[in-house]
Amino acid sequence: MNGKCWKYGDNVNTDGIIPARYLNTTDVKELASHCMEDIDPEFVKKAGEGDIIVAGDNFGCGSSREHAPISIKAFGISCVIAKSFARIFFRNAINIGLPIFESEDAGAEISDGDEVKVDINSSKITNLTTNKEYSFTPFADEMKDIIQAGGLMEYIKANY
Amino acid sequence: MGMTITEKIISAHSGLQEIRAGQFVYADVDICLGNDITAPIAIEQFERLGIDKIFNPDGVVLVPDHFTPNKDIKSAQNAKLLREFAQKHRIKNYFEVGRVGIEHALLPEKGIVVPGDLVIGADSHTCTYGAMGIFSTGVGSTDLAACYATGKVWLKVPETIKFVFNGKLNKWVSGKDLILYVIGDIGVDGAGYKAMEFSGPVITDLSMDDRLAMCNMAIEAGAKNGIIEPDDCTEKYIKDRAQREYKFYYSDADCEYLGIHEYDVSTLSPQVALPNLPENIRPVEDLSDIKIDQVVIGSCTNGRISDLRIAAKILKNKKIDPSVRLIVIPATQGVYLEALKEGLIEIFINAECVVSTPTCGPCLGGHMGILAEGERALSTTNRNFAGRMGHPKSEIYLCNPAVAAASAITGKITHPEYID
């Protein structure tokens, strides 16, 4: 994964990522068209396919709405890097196959507009703009199984 | 080394004699819940699996409560999807609009969830049922779809933080104020991924409605679950409602807590959360001259009968300020009927409030009371993120039902003792 970063603060909540006024649909394209709307109304105009969202603590707090990680994934964001993730968002992202990486230092130091590369095999986040490297918190083995299957439904198909 | 109540319930549902915080399990689910926002995605995912049968029709609950009565055509399509899925799989716990209530008020009231259960719900406030000695936690739609297929959920066993409340509560101070105070103390991720266990003499004296309000907001501190050990209050609440056998679990004396917070709450006054996070807590008397446009009394936090009784006591023979809109939302049809019998609805209407059918409605900015740009609401709901109740540039203050009712009379945030 390699992309331009869009940087946000702490406690980015799911109401802001996808407001309730759009929760009357499950259409992923429509959800993508409102991605991050109440956090940053310009997001869908300025961000592009493959870009990366970087944030502070507690990213995705609030509602359990899976529409939030779905809108981010369907928009084409390649991954989310944050100091920490709220727990329901964390499991939703793993379950639907949206790559997320927890890194205190990367969440703090990466700036808006930086070019960043993530290598899952070597567990490294590299800021190509500043030439700094970061590691991310490894996933539990059981979570890796779900991630490697491509999400929870794919994992179930293969294992039940 | 003993186990906490949370560890014991997860252990009993994982086929393991003993488990420890941090362990990864696939646990058996007694009840899984979905609503008209989250279940449509789960149903679509489940149907793509190509499995004919759900794990247990009696373990699946569908509550169309968020955008019902259907607010628009798309919402109606989603509600229809739930209805047809319930018919196809013979799900008895589907609640049509005349029987519905806000899910986290409805399931306890109907005895669908019982002490000792392991419950998941595709709604973040599923943690509410911990008040009844249940392990219950919010998940997403894919978790729900997986549970429809397998009857199981993946869980990392949480560490537990214990909160002990000593002293005696002042008049007008409720379970809502206790949980707001705790969130103010530890922050919106202060219990991230953890279990919050509430105990102490103040909890022993607390009603089930107030206990439910407390556990409801455990998620606002980032917690996986809130939980209270069952006692006489639990037994009294559940014995005539339970639809299944139930079991009381207790934390062992030698169990391990990540931390223990002790509070003396004898001097605590009603708490208010300022925009835009539930951790921005101030005592109500510190807030002067904060004018409000709308007041909401309802939700899965504070829409139960005891909440409406407190509001009605304050509003009796009074009128709300003409500049304010007060929306009262009984959380279930059962609560609505009881309020009608007790004359509470008449008090609300005479005070010039509007009374809505049970719905989550304005709490999440769905319908039935959306805010315009620059407007300010005072609400007994659980979340005050920027714009949650409507326009991105609108504000929400959170409080208990007594503060909400008193403030509607004056038009600004007011301590209930000022009206009393």
Side-chain angles (χ1 to χ4, degrees), chain A residues 20 65, chain B residues 35-37 63-69 71 100-105 123 125 216 294 296-301 327 329-332 356-370 379 381-382 388-389:
Chain A
R65 60 189 71 166
Chain B
N35 59 50
D36 51 322
I37 287 178
V63 184
D65 59 354
H66 277 61
F67 293 162
T68 55
K71 79 178 178 99
V100 87
I102 298 173
E103 49 199 346
H104 309 310
D123 187 277
H125 294 107
N216 174 270
Q294 176 168 299
V296 175
I297 298 177
S299 83
C300 57
T301 318
I327 303 164
I329 311 176
T332 67
S356 160
T357 179
T359 180
C360 303
C363 171
L364 77 159
H367 64 153
M368 300 299 287
I370 305 300
S379 178
T381 55
N382 41 47
R388 177 166 161 94
M389 204 174 271

Side-chain angles (χ1 to χ4, degrees), chain B residues 235-368:
Chain B
E235 175 67 25
K236 201 173 149 204
Y237 183 82
I238 197 66
K239 67 174 191 234
D240 296 327
R241 306 172 190 267
Q243 293 193 10
R244 286 174 292 114
E245 277 186 41
Y246 53 92
K247 187 171 176 186
F248 286 0
Y249 290 91
Y250 306 94
S251 292
D252 291 324
D254 61 342
C255 69
E256 195 172 353
Y257 292 109
L258 181 67
I260 298 175
H261 295 255
E262 282 210 49
Y263 302 104
D264 186 330
V265 290
S266 298
T267 58
L268 196 73
S269 51
Q271 304 289 300
V272 177
L274 278 57
N276 294 315
L277 286 174
E279 69 182 21
N280 296 334
I281 302 300
R282 300 278 185 286
V284 64
E285 63 271 17
D286 283 10
L287 305 170
S288 60
D289 222 28
I290 298 181
K291 285 181 68 66
I292 46 178
D293 302 294
Q294 176 168 299
V295 175
V296 175
I297 298 177
S299 83
C300 57
T301 318
N302 285 128
R304 300 184 180 84
I305 191 66
S306 59
D307 301 314
L308 301 195
R309 281 180 191 140
I310 293 166
K313 191 176 170 189
I314 292 170
L315 289 161
K316 191 170 185 182
N317 300 322
K318 296 201 170 60
K319 298 238 183 281
I320 61 168
D321 189 272
S323 68
V324 173
R325 313 167 310 250
L326 171 48
I327 303 164
V328 179
I329 311 176
T332 67
Q333 287 286 74
V335 170
Y336 202 155
L337 190 58
E338 181 60 28
L340 199 62
K341 284 180 188 163
E342 292 182 18
L344 311 185
I345 303 296
E346 197 175 337
I347 292 171
F348 294 138
I349 292 174
N350 284 335
E352 298 179 347
C353 313
V354 66
V355 182
S356 160
T357 179
T359 180
C360 303
C363 171
L364 77 159
H367 64 153
M368 300 299 287

Side-chain angles (χ1 to χ4, degrees), chain A residues 73-84:
Chain A
K73 190 183 175 194
F75 181 80
I77 291 298
S78 63
C79 66
V80 184
I81 299 168
K83 286 188 193 175
S84 66

Side-chain angles (χ1 to χ4, degrees), chain A residues 11 13 15 20 24 26 30 62-64 66-67 85 87-88 90-92 95 142 152-153 155-157, chain B residues 24 26 37 44-45 49 72 74 78 123 137-143 146 154 188 193 364 383 385 388:
Chain A
N11 302 312
N13 68 77
D15 280 85
N24 56 4
T26 58
E30 197 178 333
S63 158
S64 71
E66 211 160 280
H67 311 64
F85 291 91
R87 61 161 285 274
I88 305 179
F90 181 86
R91 64 184 298 134
N92 284 347
N95 286 345
E142 294 86 348
L152 185 60
M153 297 318 279
Y155 178 78
I156 284 174
K157 265 184 230 164
Chain B
F24 200 99
Y26 277 87
I37 287 178
E44 287 167 12
Q45 296 249 37
L49 269 182
D72 54 27
K74 286 179 178 175
N78 283 336
D123 187 277
T137 190
V139 297
S141 298
T142 299
D143 283 308
W154 65 270
V188 291
Y193 297 74
L364 77 159
R383 221 165 250 162
F385 301 149
R388 177 166 161 94

Side-chain angles (χ1 to χ4, degrees), chain A residues 3-21:
Chain A
K4 185 177 175 182
C5 290
W6 301 98
K7 179 78 181 276
Y8 299 94
D10 293 336
N11 302 312
V12 170
N13 68 77
T14 51
D15 280 85
I17 297 169
I18 186 79
R21 57 186 177 274

Side-chain angles (χ1 to χ4, degrees), chain A residues 109-126:
Chain A
E109 293 177 12
I110 294 171
S111 303
D112 214 31
D114 284 358
E115 283 290 331
V116 164
K117 184 180 158 190
V118 181
D119 186 347
I120 296 173
N121 294 328
S122 64
S123 299
K124 283 271 182 284
I125 299 168
T126 310

Side-chain angles (χ1 to χ4, degrees), chain B residues 142-165:
Chain B
T142 299
D143 283 308
L144 189 59
C147 188
Y148 288 165
T150 66
K152 290 180 188 292
V153 64
W154 65 270
L155 289 172
K156 196 169 157 191
V157 182
E159 295 169 299
T160 296
I161 306 173
K162 190 175 183 178
F163 297 85
V164 185
F165 299 88

